[in-house]
Amino acid sequence: MLSTNQITTILKEQFSLECTDITKVIGGLSAEAYRIKTSNGDFFLKVYDKQLTQTHLWIENIDNYMPLLLWLNQNEKLRGKIIFPLTTINGNYRVEDTNYVYILFEYISGTTIAKRSLTDTQVVELAEIMAQLHSCSLDISVISPRMIENFDIPFCDSLQDYLAGDYAIAPEDIRSILHPCMEQLSMKIRTLQSTSQKVKQMNPQKVLCHTDAHGWNLMQSDHLVLVDWEGMKLAPAE
C-alpha cells in the first residue's frame, strides 16, 4: 500500500518539492492519481502499480511520449491546452522504486467533461488543438518505432491461433458461447487481415495523434485542456 510518506519523500528527493497536502483524486484506468499541494503551487501525480499486469504497457510507453509532450508544449498555440509534464532534478521523466512508477504534471484546475456534450465553444477549442497537433512538423527520427502506426492486428493472429487450437479444450461454457459465432469470427478475422494489408500498401500520410480524445480525457479550465497522452502515435489523422 502506497503511503503519503512515500509520496512526500519521492517529491522532495526527486523534484525538490515540499508537500503541504496530498489528496487522492479520481484518475483513469492506467494509474492512481493525486493532487499535490506545495509552496510552489499544485501538481498532479500519477502512480503506476507495477504489480498490476495491465499497467506494464503504460509504463513501457512513458519514455516515448513524455519527451514528445515536452516538445509539444514549446508550441505557443498548444501550451496550456495540453498537460505539461515535469522532469526530476536529474532530468528524468519518471521516478521508479520497487513497486511503483511516478510521473508528475502541472495541476489543471477544472472539471472533467466526462459524458457531457461539448458546447460549440469547446468543439472549436478541441478542433484547434487537433489542428495544431496534426500540423506539427516533427523529425520522424525522434519518434520511437513503437509509436508509429503499422496497421498490424496481433489480436487477430492470437484469436485465430486460439480458435484453431486451445478452443477445442476450452471449458464448455466458453465453447458454448463461441460455437454459434465461429463462422462469423473467422470471416471478420479474414476481413481485418485483408484490410490491414491494403492500408499498409496505401501508405497514408501520418501525423501526430492523441488517439484517445474523448470526454473523460478533456478538462474544462478557463479553456479546454486535453490530458492522458499515453496513447500518442504517429498515425493517419482519421
Side-chain angles (χ1 to χ4, degrees):
M1 178 70 70
L2 182 64
S3 69
T4 55
N5 285 339
Q6 286 175 271
I7 295 176
T8 299
T9 301
I10 288 287
L11 293 171
K12 182 177 181 179
E13 293 181 351
Q14 299 293 332
F15 296 94
S16 294
L17 293 173
E18 295 284 351
C19 293
T20 57
D21 186 62
I22 300 174
T23 306
K24 190 171 184 179
V25 297
I26 297 175
L29 298 176
S30 61
E32 292 187 347
Y34 298 85
R35 180 177 182 174
I36 308 297
K37 292 188 177 182
T38 77
S39 56
N40 299 99
D42 291 3
F43 300 90
F44 182 77
L45 180 70
K46 294 189 78 168
V47 180
Y48 298 84
D49 186 346
K50 293 194 292 185
Q51 308 305 311
L52 301 178
T53 56
Q54 69 268 28
T55 62
H56 77 278
L57 292 175
W58 304 114
I59 293 172
E60 289 177 0
N61 204 30
I62 289 172
D63 291 332
N64 295 321
Y65 79 87
M66 289 284 273
L68 277 175
L69 260 184
L70 284 170
W71 181 83
L72 287 172
N73 271 279
Q74 296 176 22
N75 182 325
E76 292 184 1
K77 294 184 178 180
L78 286 174
R79 181 73 173 96
K81 298 177 182 178
I82 62 176
I83 197 164
F84 183 79
L86 281 82
T87 55
T88 68
I89 56 178
N90 293 321
N92 296 320
Y93 301 109
R94 65 178 179 179
V95 178
E96 186 169 352
D97 59 25
T98 303
N99 297 312
Y100 300 99
V101 173
Y102 312 79
I103 55 177
L104 190 67
F105 300 90
E106 288 184 349
Y107 185 79
I108 301 167
S109 181
T111 57
T112 304
I113 299 298
K115 295 182 179 180
R116 298 192 300 275
S117 298
L118 296 179
T119 66
D120 290 346
T121 298
Q122 289 169 335
V123 170
V124 171
E125 289 183 353
L126 180 57
E128 289 173 346
I129 292 172
M130 291 301 181
Q132 287 299 319
L133 181 64
H134 292 170
S135 64
C136 282
S137 176
L138 185 65
D139 182 353
I140 197 169
S141 65
V142 305
I143 298 182
S144 165
R146 65 177 297 163
M147 294 187 69
I148 302 174
E149 178 58 68
N150 59 17
F151 308 106
D152 285 343
I153 44 174
F155 69 89
C156 269
D157 296 334
S158 300
L159 179 57
Q160 194 170 42
D161 290 344
Y162 177 81
L163 295 178
D166 290 344
Y167 167 77
I169 57 174
E172 176 60 32
D173 55 346
I174 293 178
R175 285 190 284 121
S176 66
I177 293 172
L178 289 179
H179 182 72
C181 310
M182 293 290 283
E183 183 177 350
Q184 185 179 26
L185 282 170
S186 297
M187 180 185 67
K188 294 296 185 182
I189 288 172
R190 291 194 298 271
T191 299
L192 274 174
Q193 290 171 334
S194 173
T195 303
S196 172
Q197 291 303 314
K198 288 178 182 177
V199 177
K200 287 181 181 181
Q201 293 169 7
M202 290 168 59
N203 192 28
Q205 180 183 1
K206 299 181 181 70
V207 296
L208 275 179
C209 298
H210 180 278
T211 78
D212 201 22
H214 54 74
W216 291 101
N217 286 337
L218 289 169
M219 293 192 65
Q220 181 62 55
S221 183
D222 53 348
H223 51 262
L224 203 64
V225 183
L226 184 57
V227 304
D228 285 351
W229 288 76
E230 289 97 333
M232 184 161 41
K233 274 185 175 291
L234 194 69
E238 294 82 5

